Amino acid sequence: MKQKIKYISILSIVLIAILLFFLFANDKEEVIENNNGNNGEYQIIDNNYESEENKELREQTLIAVGKANEGDKEGALADYLRLLEEYPNDLLLLNNTAVLYSDMGQWNKSEEYYLRLLEAYPGFVQGYRMLAYLYQYRFDNGEEKALALIEDGLSKTNNNPDLIRWLIGYYTEIGDEEMRNYYLEMIGE
């Protein structure tokens, strides 16, 4: 059990590091991949983490991340929710809030924050994937919602290969070889 918790903590730290990298990448402009099928294209999100006047946001977010990694989920969640009042469309805050609610078994609240994230950042592929997994494994009859979500994501990201791979995995899992092969052909595998 301790090893599983250690593994989950390490995975959380890696995911947060990846998000922070994208937030601070590209000559101090915060960017995420547009995920529209054109490699190398970026869209500017907001400058919340770079500007000197938002130093407190950066510091408070890192404190919340630290609390989450130390297992203080309630404390981290309270910090994220407080920060979201001032920065309601912040990518990192929305994502981490959704993840925390999911970790705490509050699936409907997790869904709410993933939907807010995808509304603010329709090109954020990881948000579609995470919410689709949530639907698939945590909601009754969630497969239909997951498939509709991924299809919506495909339309908003110009058939992003990561979303197509999600469909390949899904159809492989349920044994639908015809649909699996259809999506494999789409990405040339």
Side-chain angles (χ1 to χ4, degrees), residues 156-175:
K156 292 178 179 171
T157 63
N158 194 25
N159 291 329
N160 180 276
D162 287 339
L163 295 179
I164 294 172
R165 284 186 189 92
W166 188 94
L167 288 168
I168 292 167
Y170 172 77
Y171 286 116
T172 300
E173 186 175 313
I174 66 167

Side-chain angles (χ1 to χ4, degrees), residues 12-61:
S12 297
I13 291 168
V14 170
L15 288 173
I16 290 167
I18 291 169
L19 276 172
L20 287 173
F21 170 77
F22 281 112
L23 290 172
F24 293 111
N26 198 16
D27 295 325
K28 298 193 175 190
E29 289 183 313
E30 296 176 61
V31 296
I32 58 172
E33 290 187 39
N34 193 9
N35 294 312
N36 64 3
N38 299 319
N39 292 331
E41 288 189 25
Y42 295 90
Q43 71 182 34
I44 303 300
I45 51 177
D46 52 33
N47 291 319
N48 284 343
Y49 289 88
E50 275 307 306
S51 64
E52 188 59 36
E53 65 264 11
N54 289 324
K55 181 179 177 183
E56 185 176 334
L57 169 64
R58 187 171 53 247
E59 291 171 356
Q60 293 299 312
T61 301

Side-chain angles (χ1 to χ4, degrees), residues 111 115 130-143 145-146 149:
E111 174 190 32
L115 290 172
M130 295 298 290
L131 182 54
Y133 285 124
L134 184 70
Y135 284 151
Q136 184 180 8
Y137 296 110
R138 301 297 184 199
F139 282 72
D140 291 334
N141 301 316
E143 287 86 5
K145 288 178 90 171
L149 176 73

